[in-house]
Amino acid sequence: MKPFLQEVAEDLVTKFGDNLHHCAIVFNNKRPAVYLQKYLANIISKPFFSPSLYTVQEFFAAASPEKLADFYLQFFTLHKIYNELLAEEGFDPISSHKFFPLAKIILSDFNQIDIDLVDAGKLYSDLEDISLINQEFDYLSPEQYEFLSQFWTSYSEGKHKKQQELFIRMWRRMPKLYHKFHATLKAQKYINNGAVYRDLAEGQISEMTFLRGFDKGKIVFVGFNALSRAEAKIFSRLQESGQGLFYFDTDPYYLDDPLQEAGLFLRKNIHQLGLMNVFANQQSLMATPHHVDVYKVQGQSAQAKILNNILADQYEERYDLGSTVVVLADESLLIPTLQTIPTSRNGQEIDLNVTMGFALATSSIFGLIDLWLSTQLELLQKTTVSYQNVEAFLTHPLSGLSHKMRDKIQTALLNENQLEIDHPRLLRQSGLFEVFFKKIENSEQVVSTLINVLTVVLTRLSTAQILKKIDAELFVKTIQELNRLHDTFGKHVGSEETSFVIYLVQRALKAIAVPLSGDPLNGIQVMGLLETRNLNFDNVVILGFNEGIIPKSSIGNSFIPDSLRRVYGLPVLENLDAISSYMVYRLIQRAKNISLVYNNLTDESTSGEVSRILKQLTYESGFKFDYHELNMTVKTEVAREVKIEKTGSKFVQDTLALYLEGKRKFSPSAMTQYISNPIDFFFNYIAGIKEPKEVSAVVEANEIGSILHQVMEYFYVDLKGSEISAEAIQLRRKRVPALIQRAFAAVMFKSPDKVIEYKGMQKVILAIVDAYVDIILTQDEAQTPFQIISLEQKVEAELSFTLHGKPATVKLLGFIDRVDLKDGVTKIIDYKTGSDKLTFKDVPELFNTNGKNINKALVQTLLYTYAYEQFSGKTCVEPNLYIVKTMTQDGVWFKTGRQNLNGEFLEEIKPEFLKELRNKLTELFESAYFEVSEVEDNYKYSIYKTLFGK
């Protein structure tokens, strides 16, 4: 079918011919102008002077002598006047950041009041007195008065609470605020959008110089639907003066049926206002056969994923892809759509034109800006920057740091475990560090400093020739917006809080978007529903066809209640229904193929219901509907056995050979990890996959143990080699708090002498360690007198075993917490802060990977015992375990049944232990695979569980 704008172009050429350039053509949005120019060029087929093309906002603004004030100028003006009114009433001023949410609503209401030519004084005085309302509103119809009464009945019940009284006081000052606001703007030769509409509607159109420029032609209004009162009045006057010409895109299907909400505003325009439609008495396009495919999908992004299937037929040669549109009723689907939409046909690339634009907020540039703003907020409060923000800067793709430099800085910070980085230290790094982390001194520097940061980044990217086209456009648009903000803020933010100015900058930049490359006349068009006005396509795909999206379920925030909006004819929720219905109907009335896709999944953003418009079309249109359902089948993968082959892997064999050659040594923890879950040993010690280190305020359990070990070493280091008495321990106890703080700084920050201001959880950790130290020292007092032979003793020993029937040797390496001598017996002391146990079943079970009785602590301490005996040449060395959580009740000896592991029993156990240990080593080097333990508890806390499918 012939597009609406082509019909308009043909009629304009017929009416005006070579005089078309004397006309002004006004649309409700920008996109139709390109299409109209194309149709005019095709029809005229020779060079011609184009008519003047405007959006309605541009046309009205051009007719006004004042400049349009941007939102921020309006806000600062409104805030100043509001505080002046508060002062007159004897109230304290309201701060900018508290007033800002109110200002957005007030400015929106003021704009709507002006656009619909409402008497602001009368509207805002309605809350003051019911009796006054009765006098002032004697002209109201019974229906209007009922609406007003309903509002007052609901609001006046009972006594007014404090918030209600504040609300009424605010409403009473609104008329003054409204008039002073407009007067103040005009005194500065500025005007807001609503006032432009009101001035044109209430002024003498014939006297406006701008409009006289089109006296030889016409002012042509194309494709309008819902008109404000100001627009209606202006349009009527232009028609009366013979200057106005109107092309309404209508269809008798919904225009002539008073029950069809899609024709609500067109009926008002044509029948009530008397605006004459050039295209009157057209045949119904909606009455012709239409085929509609309806797709129900599960999930928001799934709507975009179905595009491949929907567009497949349209990729055949017989279809012109320039006549295909993908309409995103839910604009959050833009990124999934761009990721999914097919971009080639028969090996040829397909043009894609996205009219919605790419938002700065989704780019890495905004990520850098947001990080800078967050850093400045930090520096307002303190002289340090959090590690999270510094790390984000280091890893940001626009920071320009080399991998080597980034890794060097990150490694240093991780080793220091610094949660807060001193600001001067960051500035000393120079380069972009110095620019990025420069602290702003006042609110006036926010915008200028940010411009400097972005300019430095942009210059570096340009010089390195790594600047992407889309990023270049975003940089330019962002710097332009910041320069505009700088001009506006310069006169107003001197006394504002810096944090509030940062918020305003952040809010302003979030609204920036740049158009993606593409040809609006060729290829697949991707656009929002509002952008489709006046345009027609053969193939229409609408994504997000859900209730609450088409039509929207909210009219926006306003201080004017629904009842008063109805009294004064301001927009209400039903208006959105009519507007949405019209946009859908006019889009599909000329289409050949229609596909509607909706999300059937209920979540926080959608109800899961299809739009009521579809239900209405299904019931009354006579269209043919085919329904499709995309079910996302959930497949569960069959659990598979994960094992790592040893014999067939050169890498594994070479790595294991390092242990046999003595180039690598077994630690007790490595041995117990292999016993518990062999595949963990592979990932940790063969593949070398380590858990990444992070800077965190949370002290992990193993770090508590490290702090305790360090405290005990500090406590006894001066007493090593001498006999220790209970009095000596008691005397030194007073030093424990200082030793804990020193140990904390050594473990957490690699700096024992670091002075720390302890907060929150850190104080809790200090208290926990203090309690643990007290338990150990109490135990030690009970054992006095004894002698400490060594602290943190490094021991090495060789262990022979049989490999493929031949002797082999590996080396053991460990660090023993403490070695004591008591009553002629040498004791290995191992501190534990976890949930280890002293009991064991028997020695074979200690090495049973698929058993439930592995005791890691016992295996480790017996390994320490063996290594120490080999290292020192001593015999009858006894293992003791200090489990701080249970030692006061359970003691320090391992036990099986009721028998403690000491004395003769211990000496009987040692050969059996070494036998089982040698067998385990043989298994490690001879078995074909690294496998997973059959007992889940043996790998419950493994960091590698996802790697072996658990």
Side-chain angles (χ1 to χ4, degrees):
M1 296 181 187
K2 189 178 290 185
F4 169 66
L5 288 177
Q6 185 176 341
E7 293 179 351
V8 172
E10 291 172 353
D11 193 72
L12 286 172
V13 173
T14 301
K15 279 185 168 63
F16 299 99
D18 293 337
N19 293 318
L20 188 58
H21 64 280
H22 293 302
C23 296
I25 301 178
V26 184
F27 301 100
N28 41 27
N29 60 318
K30 289 185 176 182
R31 185 60 49 183
V34 179
Y35 285 82
L36 183 67
Q37 286 176 316
K38 170 196 173 187
Y39 294 130
L40 289 173
N42 291 344
I43 295 165
I44 297 173
S45 300
K46 63 179 182 180
F48 66 97
F49 289 104
S50 172
S52 301
L53 302 171
Y54 299 93
T55 66
V56 66
Q57 292 88 356
E58 291 170 346
F59 184 74
F60 287 171
S64 173
E66 292 92 3
K67 292 186 294 184
L68 272 178
D70 70 7
F71 171 81
Y72 297 99
L73 176 59
Q74 293 183 53
F75 163 70
F76 288 118
T77 303
L78 188 74
H79 180 232
K80 181 181 178 182
I81 298 169
Y82 195 85
N83 276 338
E84 288 174 357
L85 294 177
L86 287 176
E88 289 176 9
E89 297 172 24
F91 295 109
D92 294 332
I94 183 172
S95 64
S96 299
H97 69 275
K98 288 184 179 179
F99 183 65
F100 189 78
L102 299 177
K104 289 193 292 184
I105 301 174
I106 292 171
L107 289 172
S108 175
D109 285 345
F110 282 1
N111 198 59
Q112 194 66 61
I113 286 168
D114 285 331
I115 286 175
D116 280 302
L117 306 180
V118 173
D119 187 325
K122 285 187 176 181
L123 174 64
Y124 284 122
S125 67
D126 290 348
L127 290 177
E128 187 171 352
D129 194 302
I130 295 178
S131 61
L132 179 60
I133 291 176
N134 291 332
Q135 295 173 12
E136 295 284 339
F137 288 84
D138 55 359
Y139 57 85
L140 295 180
S141 69
E143 183 183 11
Q144 289 173 320
Y145 192 84
E146 182 181 351
F147 280 130
L148 200 56
S149 300
Q150 288 172 0
F151 169 73
W152 273 105
T153 300
S154 64
Y155 190 77
S156 300
E157 290 176 353
K159 294 182 178 180
H160 295 308
K161 297 180 181 177
K162 182 179 179 182
Q163 290 82 358
Q164 292 171 319
E165 292 171 357
L166 291 172
F167 174 73
I168 291 174
R169 282 204 296 266
M170 182 184 72
W171 207 294
R172 285 174 181 166
R173 70 177 66 100
M174 282 300 162
K176 270 189 179 181
L177 181 65
Y178 170 86
H179 292 297
K180 290 190 73 173
F181 170 71
H182 285 303
T184 305
L185 280 183
K186 286 204 172 184
Q188 303 174 54
K189 296 184 179 180
Y190 281 100
I191 194 169
N192 71 334
N193 190 57
V196 169
Y197 279 62
R198 185 186 283 272
D199 286 355
L200 287 175
E202 295 178 347
Q204 294 297 321
I205 288 181
S206 59
E207 298 176 2
M208 293 185 179
T209 307
F210 172 72
L211 299 183
R212 289 198 200 116
F214 307 105
D215 284 347
K216 294 181 181 181
K218 294 282 187 181
I219 300 172
V220 183
F221 295 92
V222 180
F224 283 80
N225 176 34
L227 300 179
S228 65
R229 281 183 181 165
E231 289 171 328
K233 194 170 182 179
I234 294 167
F235 287 8
S236 296
R237 286 185 178 180
L238 288 171
Q239 180 173 270
E240 291 167 5
S241 67
Q243 282 185 285
L245 196 64
F246 302 93
Y247 291 89
F248 292 110
D249 189 3
T250 67
D251 192 284
Y253 174 83
Y254 50 82
L255 179 64
D256 297 340
D257 184 352
L259 297 180
Q260 282 286 354
E261 58 188 3
L264 174 67
F265 292 107
L266 291 171
R267 288 191 292 272
K268 286 183 179 180
N269 299 340
I270 296 171
H271 301 322
Q272 295 180 24
L273 291 175
L275 298 179
M276 299 178 64
N277 183 14
V278 175
F279 291 156
N281 303 318
Q282 283 189 319
Q283 290 186 341
S284 176
L285 299 172
M286 291 288 288
T288 59
H290 285 71
H291 177 259
V292 181
D293 286 299
V294 181
Y295 296 87
K296 179 171 72 173
V297 302
Q298 301 290 323
Q300 189 75 343
S301 297
Q303 296 177 87
K305 302 303 178 187
I306 205 172
L307 279 174
N308 270 307
N309 297 335
I310 295 175
L311 297 177
D313 293 339
Q314 297 166 25
Y315 279 10
E316 299 298 326
E317 292 294 341
R318 64 180 182 274
Y319 284 113
D320 175 15
L321 290 175
S323 63
T324 298
V325 65
V326 176
V327 180
L328 306 183
D330 182 352
E331 296 190 3
S332 68
L333 291 171
L334 176 60
I335 300 301
T337 298
L338 294 179
Q339 293 171 337
T340 306
I341 196 165
T343 55
S344 63
R345 175 182 66 182
N346 300 328
Q348 298 293 319
E349 286 192 9
I350 295 172
D351 291 330
L352 183 67
N353 180 54
V354 183
T355 65
M356 297 166 64
F358 185 74
L360 174 68
T362 61
S363 70
S364 59
I365 298 171
F366 185 78
L368 187 69
I369 292 170
D370 195 46
L371 179 61
W372 182 82
L373 294 172
S374 300
T375 301
Q376 293 300 329
L377 286 174
E378 274 195 302
L379 292 173
L380 288 175
Q381 307 295 328
K382 53 189 181 180
T383 58
T384 58
V385 179
S386 67
Y387 172 78
Q388 286 77 9
N389 278 349
V390 174
E391 183 188 36
F393 172 76
L394 292 172
T395 57
H396 197 281
L398 298 180
S399 65
L401 294 174
S402 65
H403 288 294
K404 183 178 180 181
M405 176 61 72
R406 183 190 65 198
D407 292 344
K408 179 181 178 181
I409 297 173
Q410 278 187 300
T411 301
L413 295 177
L414 285 170
N415 288 336
E416 295 173 13
N417 199 34
Q418 291 277 18
L419 291 170
E420 300 288 335
I421 316 301
D422 290 337
H423 183 228
R425 180 180 179 184
L426 295 170
L427 296 179
R428 287 196 298 271
Q429 300 298 319
S430 70
L432 186 58
F433 271 89
E434 188 175 7
V435 176
F436 188 87
F437 290 104
K438 179 183 177 182
K439 181 181 178 181
I440 51 179
E441 299 300 330
N442 53 60
S443 58
E444 294 174 317
Q445 294 182 353
V446 174
V447 176
S448 58
T449 308
L450 179 54
I451 291 173
N452 185 43
V453 171
L454 293 180
T455 303
V456 170
V457 174
L458 177 58
T459 302
R460 183 185 58 78
L461 293 174
S462 300
T463 304
Q465 296 184 341
I466 55 174
L467 183 63
K468 298 177 183 176
K469 183 176 182 295
I470 187 68
D471 284 344
E473 293 176 358
L474 284 170
F475 267 115
V476 171
K477 191 77 176 285
T478 302
I479 292 174
Q480 285 177 345
E481 176 65 11
L482 287 171
N483 281 320
R484 190 185 66 79
L485 289 177
H486 186 267
D487 294 340
T488 302
F489 287 3
K491 303 172 184 176
H492 300 97
V493 301
S495 59
E496 298 293 344
E497 293 181 9
T498 303
S499 58
F500 177 64
V501 176
I502 286 175
Y503 165 75
L504 293 182
V505 171
Q506 191 176 44
R507 180 183 181 275
L509 296 184
K510 278 183 178 180
I512 291 177
V514 296
L516 297 171
S517 59
D519 185 345
L521 302 176
N522 295 300
I524 298 176
Q525 307 294 307
V526 179
M527 57 181 65
L529 186 60
L530 283 173
E531 295 171 298
T532 65
R533 290 175 292 183
N534 291 319
L535 306 183
N536 295 107
F537 302 89
D538 290 338
N539 309 304
V540 174
V541 182
I542 304 180
L543 304 185
F545 208 73
N546 280 83
E547 185 67 21
I549 297 174
I550 303 180
K552 293 188 182 298
S553 56
S554 171
I555 200 169
N557 293 328
S558 173
F559 284 133
I560 306 172
D562 180 76
S563 51
L564 283 178
R565 300 182 77 87
R566 294 177 187 276
V567 167
Y568 284 96
L570 293 171
V572 292
L573 195 58
E574 287 91 327
N575 297 157
L576 296 181
D577 299 350
I579 292 169
S580 295
S581 296
Y582 172 71
M583 285 194 291
V584 172
Y585 278 45
R586 68 145 304 278
L587 184 60
I588 67 176
Q589 66 193 24
R590 299 171 191 263
K592 296 177 182 177
N593 302 294
I594 304 160
S595 300
L596 307 177
V597 185
Y598 72 99
N599 175 16
N600 186 237
L601 192 65
T602 303
D603 56 27
E604 65 277 0
S605 61
T606 178
S607 63
E609 294 184 26
V610 69
S611 169
R612 71 186 77 168
I613 297 173
L614 175 61
K615 295 179 180 179
Q616 187 170 317
L617 284 169
T618 306
Y619 177 73
E620 63 188 19
S621 68
F623 293 177
K624 180 186 176 183
F625 290 86
D626 285 337
Y627 293 88
H628 313 270
E629 185 169 351
L630 176 65
N631 289 317
M632 308 296 285
T633 55
V634 178
K635 293 183 179 180
T636 55
E637 187 177 350
V638 178
R640 57 190 178 88
E641 183 182 7
V642 178
K643 50 187 181 181
I644 308 297
E645 186 178 358
K646 298 178 185 178
T647 53
S649 170
K650 183 176 184 302
F651 169 75
V652 173
Q653 290 300 314
D654 288 347
T655 307
L656 288 174
L658 296 177
Y659 288 99
L660 297 172
E661 295 165 2
K663 295 178 181 178
R664 281 195 181 183
K665 300 167 185 177
F666 275 102
S667 66
S669 57
M671 200 65 233
T672 55
Q673 188 167 49
Y674 177 77
I675 294 169
S676 297
N677 194 32
I679 205 167
D680 275 348
F681 177 88
F682 165 77
F683 288 122
N684 193 0
Y685 293 97
I686 305 298
I689 300 173
K690 308 294 182 182
E691 189 172 17
K693 183 174 174 56
E694 296 180 353
V695 173
S696 173
V698 178
V699 180
E700 302 293 341
N702 63 322
E703 291 171 328
I704 294 176
S706 298
I707 295 170
L708 176 64
H709 283 68
Q710 192 68 65
V711 173
M712 296 311 301
E713 182 181 3
Y714 288 158
F715 187 89
Y716 282 124
V717 67
D718 295 337
L719 299 178
K720 187 172 62 173
S722 61
E723 186 174 87
I724 298 173
S725 63
E727 292 77 12
I729 293 175
Q730 291 171 3
L731 185 63
R732 299 174 71 86
R733 273 182 181 266
K734 61 184 179 182
R735 299 174 53 188
V736 168
L739 296 179
I740 293 175
Q741 293 184 15
R742 182 175 173 81
F744 185 94
V747 172
M748 301 304 297
F749 305 110
K750 305 296 184 291
S751 176
D753 299 321
K754 182 178 178 63
V755 178
I756 304 167
E757 183 181 348
Y758 295 95
K759 300 176 182 177
M761 186 55 66
Q762 291 177 332
K763 291 183 178 181
V764 174
I765 298 302
L766 296 183
I768 291 172
V769 174
D770 185 72
Y772 287 172
V773 171
D774 182 69
I775 292 170
I776 293 174
L777 293 179
T778 300
Q779 168 69 23
D780 286 348
E781 284 184 24
Q783 294 297 312
T784 55
F786 63 90
Q787 181 182 352
I788 293 181
I789 299 174
S790 63
L791 295 168
E792 295 299 323
Q793 174 71 58
K794 177 182 178 182
V795 291
E796 293 186 33
E798 289 187 350
L799 181 63
S800 60
F801 66 103
T802 302
L803 180 58
H804 301 300
K806 297 179 180 179
T809 304
V810 293
K811 289 185 177 181
L812 303 177
L813 170 66
F815 291 85
I816 302 173
D817 294 342
R818 198 171 103 196
V819 181
D820 289 359
L821 182 63
K822 168 70 174 173
D823 298 330
V825 178
T826 302
K827 297 184 178 184
I828 300 293
I829 307 294
D830 195 17
Y831 307 123
K832 295 291 183 184
T833 56
S835 301
D836 297 274
K837 294 182 180 179
L838 291 168
T839 57
F840 69 101
K841 184 178 180 182
D842 54 41
V843 173
E845 278 299 302
L846 293 178
F847 294 89
N848 184 3
T849 295
N850 297 319
K852 297 182 179 180
N853 297 297
I854 300 171
N855 189 321
K856 291 183 181 181
L858 176 54
V859 173
Q860 287 183 4
T861 51
L862 285 175
L863 276 172
Y864 285 139
T865 301
Y866 169 78
Y868 186 77
E869 287 180 342
Q870 298 300 308
F871 170 80
S872 64
K874 294 184 178 181
T875 58
C876 300
V877 176
E878 179 183 289
N880 282 190
L881 192 67
Y882 279 26
I883 307 174
V884 291
K885 294 180 180 179
T886 60
M887 61 190 293
T888 53
Q889 295 85 26
D890 300 336
V892 297
W893 285 290
F894 291 98
K895 55 180 72 70
T896 175
R898 295 184 178 180
Q899 193 166 9
N900 289 340
L901 190 61
N902 59 1
E904 293 181 1
F905 179 59
L906 172 62
E907 295 308 309
E908 293 173 5
I909 288 290
K910 286 179 180 178
E912 187 179 0
F913 171 80
L914 289 175
K915 176 187 173 184
E916 295 294 339
L917 177 59
R918 290 185 171 103
N919 291 340
K920 206 65 181 176
L921 284 170
T922 301
E923 173 196 301
L924 168 60
F925 288 96
E926 286 187 356
S927 62
Y929 300 97
F930 289 106
E931 297 182 283
V932 182
S933 169
E934 296 174 2
V935 179
E936 186 176 347
D937 281 350
N938 289 348
Y939 56 79
K940 183 187 294 185
Y941 302 109
S942 170
I943 64 171
Y944 305 108
K945 280 200 288 189
T946 55
L947 297 180
F948 55 80
K950 298 294 183 180

